[in-house]
Amino acid sequence: MKSLDGIKPFEKKVWLSSPTMHGEELEFMKEAFESNWMSTVGKNINEVERLVAERIGCRYAVALSAGTAALHLATKLAGEKLYGQARPYEGTLEGKRVFCSDLTFDASVNPVAYEDGEAVFIDTEEDTWNMDPVALDKAFSLYPDVKLIVLAHLYGTPGKMDEILDIAKKYNALIIEDAAESFGASYKGKETGTFGDYNAISFNGNKIITGSSGGIFLTDSKDDADKVRKWSTQSREDAPWYQHEEIGYNYRMSNVIAGVVRGQIPYLDEHIARKKEIYQRYQEGLKDLPITMNPYDAENSGPNFWLSCLLIDKDSMSPIVRGEREYLYQSQKGKTNPQEIMEMLSAINAESRPIWKPMHMQPIYRMNAFVTRQGNGRGRTNAYIDEGEIVDVGADIFRRGLCLPSDNKMTEEEQERIIEVVKRCFE
Ligand SMILES: *Cc1c(COP(=O)(O)O)cnc(C)c1O
């Protein structure tokens, strides 16, 4: 660690990204309570579905218990569409490969495993930190039978949608769009969550709009929306008794949670504006350091700036080794590394987080195929990368990157102090 002389810790912790409540949330929760719609039916749920569909610009929305639930049912729908209805107890993707974002949260891709498919991870590009269209095209040349792509917009920054849509069209593949982190972000004037054949947003506690938990499935297809609604309520058939002809799930959103989401939706643009200010203040405050911020295509996309991140220049990295659960680094003058910055921020009571560790480096997915621009590979161990040979873009961003405190409620003074601490790391 470097010196923190003269810098006082925050009395109240500054979070990475915590819920920002406004008051209406409580009113709608109370409405649910007082009208006794304390279940998975009620006005709040209907309103959330209406408001999100309207905002996003899609025809149907189905409110669910989590973004993961939305992604699971999206994945199941895609599997059924592509490969037909599965036999009971079998996943719809049994034995099928699916191309997936590599630099993402594991909830994007776990549903592929729930449906018995096999995720093939696609490397990341450096311009937006999302799925690399060049690597995706390469993957189709290696596995021409693949028919499904799962892609996420990392940290609220839209990926290269034109290129990816072209490739999907060329190979006749469907897209599941994981817009969990990117609610309100747009690409060429169109909101994320409308590009895929099946789309999902999350209302988890740390997302830009939250219900404490919750998620939503988005589509223009009435049949798909009806199916997701049915599956999410235990696949009850239209019969006088509980009649089940398909496996079901208990995935519907609660009307109380929906009250929170409903109260938050009018504040989405305000939250985005705050997040953008935070990003720009970091950009300005850190501009003389050997770092770059998480990049985006300013001409064609409008991120929601959910998390502000930095990437340390290669030449300014001090030596660091990461094992599975621990790390070791050498503190060096004029250089730093993400763990040192995290320790320094933690010492002043501010929360930061490493870049999401890529899926191909995760023990659970390490044996899955992984495709870079150069071609096919397997997941690598951390040690391999730390010998100095950077083998893929995702591992490199993980190695050199960090998510900075990006909380809406952080004051300018607090952010200035955080910037000062990051500067100290490079002394
Ligand atoms: C948060 C998140 C999810 C999962 O959403 P939950 O509502 O927490 O289930 C999925 N994908 C990504 C990229 C996320 O960040």
Side-chain angles (χ1 to χ4, degrees):
M1 290 231 315
K2 306 282 167 59
S3 160
L4 280 165
D5 282 356
I7 302 183
K8 280 211 295 274
F10 298 119
E11 269 171 39
K12 234 177 89 203
K13 184 164 181 165
V14 175
W15 297 95
L16 185 77
S17 181
S18 73
T20 304
M21 294 292 128
H22 301 275
E24 286 97 318
E25 298 89 348
L26 195 58
E27 295 306 310
F28 290 128
M29 284 167 79
K30 224 167 112 190
E31 196 177 295
F33 184 90
E34 281 167 357
S35 60
N36 205 34
W37 287 104
M38 299 295 283
S39 71
T40 52
V41 184
K43 185 166 175 200
N44 286 334
I45 298 174
N46 301 340
E47 279 300 289
V48 164
E49 292 180 344
R50 186 182 68 78
L51 291 166
V52 174
E54 194 179 279
R55 163 68 200 228
I56 288 288
C58 72
R59 294 178 63 181
Y60 304 97
V62 185
L64 300 171
S65 57
T68 308
L71 286 162
H72 181 193
L73 299 186
T75 306
K76 185 171 160 116
L77 268 177
E80 210 176 80
K81 172 106 180 235
L82 288 166
Y83 306 112
Q85 204 166 2
R87 284 184 297 241
Y89 321 123
E90 269 175 12
T92 55
L93 292 171
E94 184 158 40
K96 300 293 196 280
R97 291 189 181 95
V98 178
F99 292 151
C100 299
S101 282
D102 180 56
L103 192 58
T104 184
F105 185 57
D106 77 335
S108 302
V109 301
N110 283 344
V112 171
Y114 304 163
E115 290 301 313
D116 298 337
E118 189 186 315
V120 171
F121 299 107
I122 309 297
D123 198 15
T124 305
E125 37 83 3
E126 287 166 330
D127 303 331
T128 76
W129 294 6
N130 285 301
M131 185 186 278
D132 182 358
V134 180
L136 179 65
D137 199 61
K138 182 94 195 171
F140 274 110
S141 69
L142 293 165
Y143 304 102
D145 56 329
V146 172
K147 290 283 168 232
L148 182 60
I149 301 165
V150 179
L151 96 126
H153 304 287
L154 195 73
Y155 303 138
T157 301
K160 298 192 172 185
M161 288 316 301
D162 274 355
E163 289 89 333
I164 287 175
L165 289 169
D166 279 351
I167 293 168
K169 203 163 153 199
K170 180 166 131 194
Y171 294 100
N172 215 4
L174 297 177
I175 294 180
I176 293 172
E177 192 188 358
D178 178 1
E181 299 176 1
S182 66
F183 188 24
S186 61
Y187 178 85
K188 296 195 171 172
K190 203 168 163 240
E191 300 254 329
T192 61
T194 60
F195 290 95
D197 296 275
Y198 314 96
N199 312 284
I201 287 176
S202 164
F203 303 119
N204 190 343
N206 66 358
K207 300 284 156 61
I208 196 149
I209 286 292
T210 184
S212 70
S213 65
I216 201 158
F217 171 83
L218 305 159
T219 180
D220 281 330
S221 153
K222 183 168 187 308
D223 285 350
D224 288 345
D226 288 344
K227 197 123 214 209
V228 164
R229 202 168 282 118
K230 176 184 164 190
W231 284 343
S232 73
T233 48
Q234 298 294 17
S235 295
R236 277 141 56 176
E237 300 295 339
D238 185 11
W241 43 79
Y242 283 145
Q243 174 81 2
H244 303 288
E245 297 171 10
E246 286 180 284
I247 292 288
Y249 305 85
N250 181 7
Y251 276 177
R252 196 72 165 126
M253 183 182 276
S254 141
N255 194 46
V256 180
I257 300 280
V260 184
V261 180
R262 186 181 171 193
Q264 288 259 289
I265 291 170
Y267 293 93
L268 175 59
D269 286 324
E270 191 182 307
H271 287 195
I272 294 173
R274 273 295 295 138
K275 294 277 192 186
K276 187 170 181 176
E277 275 168 31
I278 290 168
Y279 179 95
Q280 289 174 334
R281 226 175 270 142
Y282 277 129
Q283 202 170 34
E284 178 59 28
L286 302 172
K287 70 175 190 297
D288 296 329
L289 295 179
I291 63 115
T292 48
M293 298 284 296
N294 46 330
Y296 65 98
D297 177 353
E299 201 170 313
N300 294 310
S301 74
N304 69 6
F305 298 95
W306 175 52
L307 293 185
S308 290
C309 309
L310 62 73
L311 189 69
I312 301 168
D313 289 357
K314 287 191 173 110
D315 297 341
S316 297
M317 279 285 292
S318 53
I320 175 164
V321 183
R322 279 174 168 148
E324 289 306 341
R325 299 187 187 187
E326 60 291 295
Y327 62 86
L328 193 65
Y329 71 82
Q330 203 177 25
S331 196
Q332 284 187 350
K333 201 166 150 33
K335 297 183 175 188
T336 192
N337 63 70
Q339 296 298 156
E340 185 171 55
I341 301 177
M342 277 187 70
E343 286 177 13
M344 294 275 280
L345 289 174
S346 169
I348 63 154
N349 206 17
E351 186 188 29
S352 56
R353 191 166 291 168
I355 296 298
W356 295 184
K357 182 172 174 175
M359 290 303 112
H360 78 277
M361 294 170 74
Q362 298 288 355
I364 188 89
Y365 288 123
R366 195 170 282 159
M367 295 311 288
N368 290 44
F370 170 59
V371 182
T372 67
R373 286 183 175 203
Q374 285 74 40
N376 205 355
R378 288 270 169 190
R380 315 278 187 178
T381 67
N382 297 336
Y384 187 86
I385 290 148
D386 285 335
E387 276 158 22
E389 186 189 358
I390 301 305
V391 291
D392 59 80
V393 177
D396 185 35
I397 295 173
F398 173 60
R399 178 177 150 78
R400 296 191 286 125
L402 181 76
C403 305
L404 293 161
S406 307
D407 196 62
N408 270 334
K409 295 166 297 308
M410 175 169 63
T411 65
E412 248 184 278
E413 188 278 329
E414 286 169 332
Q415 194 175 354
E416 286 309 317
R417 209 185 304 180
I418 287 162
I419 289 168
E420 183 52 36
V421 169
V422 176
K423 286 181 178 166
R424 292 279 181 100
C425 296
F426 287 90
E427 284 181 353

